[in-house]
Amino acid sequence: MAHLRPKHNTIPLLVIKALVHYFLFTFKTTIASYDDQTLNVIDFGAKAGGEIDSSRAFLDAWESACNTITPSTIYVPQGRFLIGKVVFKGSHEYCKSNGITIKIDGALVAPSNYDDIGNDGNWLLFDDVNGVSIIGGVLDGQGNGLWACKRFGNRNCPMGATNLGFTNSNNIVINGVTSVNSEMYHIVIDRSKNVKVQGVRVSASGNSPNTDGIHVQLSSFVTIIASNIATGDDCISIGPGSTNLWIQNIACGPGHGISVGSLGKELEEAGVENVTVKTVTFTGTENGVRIKSWGRPSNGFARNIIFQHLTMINVQNPIVIDQNYCPNEKDCPGQVNFQEHIN
């Protein structure tokens, strides 16, 4: 049988396809690298040193990133940058981009006078954004003064502001962020979907009031992994309407542990379901894992909750299921018998 021999200058079809794929990929990558823009907040007027308010500079950098559909990085260099209460707005009305990264090498610092932001509810708030990533950096809420005000029983103390909040947002990444001394909650995920929190460090005094590390409510598909949380309240709190949460590899303590609830405060209330908490070490906490609900009628619920591979070290109450939750022990609603409920 005769064998056909290819000519020496013939290039196999598979090699041609591979070369075409390579050049197309290289071309697209080159174009993408030119399309990406880095916006240094210094170029927008931000001043390091922690004394001059740089709020306007950060908002101007955000507006610039929002004015293009290509991915952008807002860069915060080393140094301490004083910022007042700011809201980074998304939606098509304010922001065209679906890919903004905020890379922080320095620290963002809240005003030391708690009256400046204490009645605003949030310090750094992202509202209705999509595809935002916050990478690295320190968020210093400077909440010590407000904690002292509350501990001394001063009724004129403001409620306090959350360090970092996301509301009505999708496809969010919070990676390597350190949140310290928040006036109130450190990180809040509210009415949002597809959120990944990884490598976060939360630090506040063990006697700091209402300083939950990470609070999730009315949100779905939230992942919290590989984080270290030391605070004066819940390390992680899971509020009504939270579904499909995965929490893993957490170091918790001091604090009140990881809590589902409180639930059932309202008659009409969204439930909590499909929550997994695994591989968590609790050290010196008041509680380990806890589910708490008010003893009043409600259509709220908690189901398919999994606690697995937990380590408790010097924990006062390792597992708590409280269906008579009433934190102030005043005008508490009617109680529900736990044994009757499970029979």
Side-chain angles (χ1 to χ4, degrees):
M1 179 181 295
H3 295 280
L4 296 178
R5 297 177 180 272
K7 294 181 179 180
H8 291 294
N9 61 350
T10 301
I11 301 177
L13 182 59
L14 289 175
V15 174
I16 294 174
K17 288 183 177 179
L19 288 171
V20 170
H21 177 77
Y22 171 77
F23 284 118
L24 283 175
F25 176 80
T26 303
F27 176 75
K28 290 179 180 178
T29 303
T30 302
I31 293 296
S33 66
Y34 282 113
D35 284 343
D36 289 356
Q37 62 172 340
T38 297
L39 306 168
N40 191 321
V41 294
I42 296 292
D43 296 333
F44 290 84
K47 303 293 184 182
E51 296 181 358
I52 299 175
D53 190 344
S54 296
S55 303
R56 186 69 260 167
F58 277 76
L59 289 172
D60 287 347
W62 174 261
E63 182 178 353
S64 180
C66 282
N67 282 335
T68 176
I69 60 174
T70 57
S72 301
T73 297
I74 297 173
Y75 177 62
V76 182
Q78 292 185 357
R80 290 172 65 82
F81 295 87
L82 175 65
I83 298 179
K85 193 270 176 74
V86 290
V87 179
F88 300 98
K89 287 185 175 291
S91 79
H92 293 297
E93 179 183 357
Y94 296 98
C95 196
K96 300 175 184 177
S97 178
N98 287 323
I100 297 177
T101 297
I102 301 176
K103 175 68 172 66
I104 306 172
D105 282 342
L108 309 187
V109 185
S112 57
N113 184 347
Y114 54 75
D115 284 327
D116 287 351
I117 62 172
N119 289 307
D120 293 326
N122 291 279
W123 171 33
L124 308 172
L125 177 64
F126 291 80
D127 179 39
D128 200 14
V129 300
N130 182 46
V132 169
S133 299
I134 301 180
I135 310 298
V138 175
L139 310 179
D140 186 353
Q142 299 208 88
N144 308 65
L146 180 59
W147 305 342
C149 180
K150 290 181 176 180
R151 283 198 297 266
F152 286 127
N154 187 341
R155 295 185 178 182
N156 295 320
C157 303
M159 182 66 71
T162 290
N163 264 8
L164 176 63
F166 281 89
T167 183
N168 299 310
S169 298
N170 298 307
N171 306 313
I172 304 303
V173 173
I174 304 170
N175 192 338
V177 173
T178 297
S179 176
V180 300
N181 299 332
S182 181
E183 289 184 353
M184 199 170 166
Y185 296 171
H186 284 260
I187 299 172
V188 170
I189 309 300
D190 176 31
R191 289 168 287 174
S192 297
K193 185 176 181 180
N194 294 331
V195 180
K196 184 175 183 180
V197 181
Q198 180 175 4
V200 162
R201 178 176 173 265
V202 171
S203 178
S205 168
N207 63 352
S208 57
N210 304 118
T211 53
D212 294 42
I214 302 172
H215 177 71
V216 182
Q217 64 184 24
L218 298 169
S219 298
S220 60
F221 299 100
V222 177
T223 300
I224 304 170
I225 58 175
S227 296
N228 191 317
I229 304 173
T231 186
D233 211 299
D234 293 327
C235 291
I236 300 173
S237 54
I238 302 165
S242 300
T243 63
N244 299 298
L245 272 61
W246 187 275
I247 299 168
Q248 185 175 9
N249 292 335
I250 306 296
C252 171
H256 293 176
I258 293 179
S259 295
V260 177
S262 61
L263 306 178
K265 190 172 184 179
E266 307 296 335
L267 177 62
E268 299 290 333
E269 185 178 277
V272 173
E273 63 182 329
N274 302 331
V275 176
T276 297
V277 177
K278 67 181 300 184
T279 318
V280 178
T281 299
F282 299 88
T283 304
T285 54
E286 181 179 321
N287 308 295
V289 290
R290 177 170 56 156
I291 300 175
K292 51 184 180 177
S293 63
W294 291 79
R296 56 163 57 102
S298 173
N299 62 2
F301 58 83
R303 62 189 179 213
N304 195 22
I305 313 293
I306 297 174
F307 299 130
Q308 189 177 49
H309 301 154
L310 310 179
T311 300
M312 312 275 185
I313 303 171
N314 297 326
V315 174
Q316 296 179 39
N317 308 295
I319 300 174
V320 178
I321 299 177
D322 181 3
Q323 290 188 286
N324 302 313
Y325 181 70
C326 186
N328 296 319
E329 299 297 330
K330 182 179 180 181
D331 298 325
C332 295
Q335 296 183 346
V336 176
N337 185 284
F338 176 70
Q339 189 62 40
E340 289 178 358
H341 182 73
I342 63 174
N343 286 339

